[in-house]
Amino acid sequence: MSRPCKVLVVLGTRPEVIKMAPVIGELERRPQRFVVRVCVTAQHREMLDQVLAVFQIAPHHDLGLMTRAQSLVGITINVLREVGRVVQEERPDVVLVHGDTATTFAAALAAFYERVPVGHVEAGLRSGNIYAPWPEEMNRRLADCLTAYYYAPTERAAEMLRRENVAAERICVTGNTVIDALQQIVARLREERELAAALARRFAFLDPGKRLILVTGHRRENFGSGFARILDALATLARRADVQIVYPLHLNPNVQGPARERLGNEPHIHLLDPQDYLAFVYLMDRSYLIITDSGGIQEEAPALGKPVLVMRDVTERPEAVDAGTVRLVGTDRERIVSEATRLLDDPAHYETMARAHNPYGDGHAAERIADHLEAQFDEAAV
């Protein structure tokens, strides 16, 4: 490369920051090779700011696009317009996006309109159902239609791209960057005694004599009757004398209202505000099992040896299901309760899930992405 490659990284939500923080850090460690500019759309404001602080990322462009009761159409239009303006101003050599949000798709489209190559980190994940997860499945597929450099987290994701006629030379299998981020945070929790002590004090209300079930649940497709069944299942599990449930609630009113109404008076359930990433990793590490409808937690928890019950009928991350670390339970109340009960009561079954192989990476995904980008722009400069 005769000059550094200018990389514009566009982020909208908390998971995007977590998963792209290692990539930003790795690119910034190569100043002769890369100039990094970070743009946040603030598709989610409060949770975004928490994790930016944890990873000490100072955005060069903060678009502040979140509005009350924002619609998918509204946020997509706003991201497309405002990121397009940033791309025109910065004139990057490549725009990096991550995952499956409205920011991912709209930023990729904005870059395409400016004829700037798109690098898609976590490309190729597919559930096979355009309505589950909704709208993320289609956001990811559409972003992949606009991508020049495909950073597939697993070989299965790469194979999905090849089936969609993406040329093999445009695909780089990297592992998932969330493992890079998780390893960084776990190292801090192990090494920084004051940090660990502060987190222990924050969660001093937890009973060390009871097993901790950590819960997250906020998927749009589960709102309504599906979410009601989830809440009933949690209330049933909380009647056990040997468990306590911690549920950091997403800020979406469709989560906050029903969850507080149904679970607010359950003595063994702690409904918390959204937690920063340090605190959430602490809770994952301390938990006995995790019940979630999140995508990223399906990748993180197995790396910590934690069984995961996923409240979805399909997943775009089937590797962990095949490996035995994750089990799909949907929103069926009886199935959630029975699968959690088996993990609580059957030590052999628990050990089978807790010791299963994690297929999502070795903590060096960000290095592979940086190496690949270097090679692409070295080749272009010849």
Side-chain angles (χ1 to χ4, degrees):
M1 250 177 337
S2 58
R3 61 175 178 81
C5 169
K6 190 174 191 180
V7 181
L8 177 65
V9 182
V10 184
L11 308 168
T13 66
R14 177 180 184 268
E16 288 167 84
V17 176
I18 293 168
K19 294 187 174 187
M20 289 301 284
V23 178
I24 293 169
E26 185 61 33
L27 295 175
E28 289 179 338
R29 280 189 285 274
R30 308 182 189 195
Q32 276 70 46
R33 308 296 264 168
F34 298 104
V35 173
V36 183
R37 306 290 284 177
V38 177
C39 172
V40 297
T41 67
Q43 178 180 336
H44 294 159
R45 178 80 268 172
E46 296 93 337
M47 292 182 284
L48 183 82
D49 289 342
Q50 286 179 353
V51 77
L52 286 170
V54 168
F55 288 101
Q56 299 180 323
I57 296 173
H60 302 89
H61 302 271
D62 189 335
L63 304 181
L65 297 182
M66 183 177 179
T67 60
R68 288 182 61 83
Q70 64 190 6
S71 69
L72 291 172
V73 170
I75 190 63
T76 302
I77 291 170
N78 289 337
V79 172
L80 178 61
R81 181 184 62 247
E82 295 303 314
V83 172
R85 177 183 57 78
V86 172
V87 173
Q88 291 174 353
E89 176 184 331
E90 290 287 356
R91 302 184 66 83
D93 296 297
V94 62
V95 171
L96 287 186
V97 297
H98 177 279
D100 58 13
T101 68
T103 288
T104 305
F105 163 55
L109 184 58
F112 169 76
Y113 283 160
E114 297 299 324
R115 294 180 177 268
V116 176
V118 173
H120 187 188
V121 178
E122 205 180 73
L125 275 64
R126 300 288 186 270
S127 74
N129 181 345
I130 64 171
Y131 295 108
W134 180 83
E136 289 82 3
E137 172 79 2
M138 187 51 71
N139 285 337
R140 194 187 299 271
R141 292 196 201 185
L142 293 170
D144 277 340
C145 291
L146 302 164
T147 292
Y149 311 123
Y150 295 83
Y151 297 114
T154 65
E155 181 54 42
R156 186 191 295 252
E159 177 57 26
M160 292 300 296
L161 292 167
R162 290 190 288 268
R163 290 181 190 176
E164 295 170 4
N165 297 316
V166 175
E169 62 268 20
R170 296 170 64 193
I171 302 168
C172 178
V173 179
T174 63
N176 199 299
T177 57
V178 77
I179 304 302
D180 301 33
L182 183 66
Q183 289 182 359
Q184 291 176 19
I185 296 302
V186 169
R188 288 186 61 186
L189 293 175
R190 300 282 190 270
E191 296 166 7
E192 299 178 24
R193 293 184 179 180
E194 290 185 6
L195 173 62
L199 288 168
R201 289 192 297 271
R202 184 192 300 190
F203 299 108
F205 59 84
L206 294 176
D207 184 344
K210 294 183 178 181
R211 289 175 289 183
L212 171 61
I213 301 175
L214 179 62
V215 176
T216 72
H218 65 274
R219 299 230 57 82
R220 288 183 179 91
E221 63 265 30
N222 288 343
F223 290 167
S225 60
F227 194 51
R229 292 191 294 271
I230 289 170
L231 298 178
D232 285 344
L234 297 177
T236 299
L237 289 169
R239 296 184 192 126
R240 292 181 58 121
D242 61 339
V243 304
Q244 56 195 325
I245 294 174
V246 170
Y247 186 175
L249 293 178
H250 196 279
L251 295 174
N252 191 309
N254 292 297
V255 175
Q256 288 274 338
R260 292 194 182 279
E261 180 179 355
R262 179 66 181 87
L263 304 178
N265 294 320
E266 293 288 343
H268 298 147
I269 297 181
H270 305 281
L271 301 178
L272 307 183
D273 291 333
Q275 298 297 299
D276 63 65
Y277 191 54
L278 281 166
F280 193 76
V281 172
Y282 174 86
L283 288 170
M284 281 199 295
D285 198 28
R286 184 163 171 174
S287 69
Y288 187 77
L289 69 94
I290 297 173
I291 303 176
T292 185
D293 61 13
S294 165
I297 292 172
Q298 296 175 55
E299 299 153 345
E300 294 167 296
L304 297 172
K306 307 299 178 179
V308 185
L309 300 180
V310 176
M311 297 179 293
R312 299 189 191 180
D313 295 318
V314 295
T315 180
E316 70 278 33
R317 295 167 170 87
E319 294 90 348
V321 177
D322 293 345
T325 60
V326 164
R327 185 157 297 198
L328 298 176
V329 294
T331 60
D332 182 270
R333 175 189 175 279
E334 286 71 26
R335 190 169 181 200
I336 295 169
V337 171
S338 65
E339 292 288 353
T341 299
R342 186 180 177 194
L343 283 166
L344 291 165
D345 293 345
D346 184 342
H349 177 61
Y350 181 90
E351 288 301 320
T352 296
M353 288 189 71
R355 291 180 180 174
H357 170 64
N358 181 354
Y360 292 116
D362 58 5
H364 297 282
E367 295 170 34
R368 295 186 183 99
I369 292 168
D371 289 345
H372 184 268
L373 276 176
E374 278 195 20
Q376 300 312 302
F377 284 88
D378 281 345
E379 182 177 319
V382 173

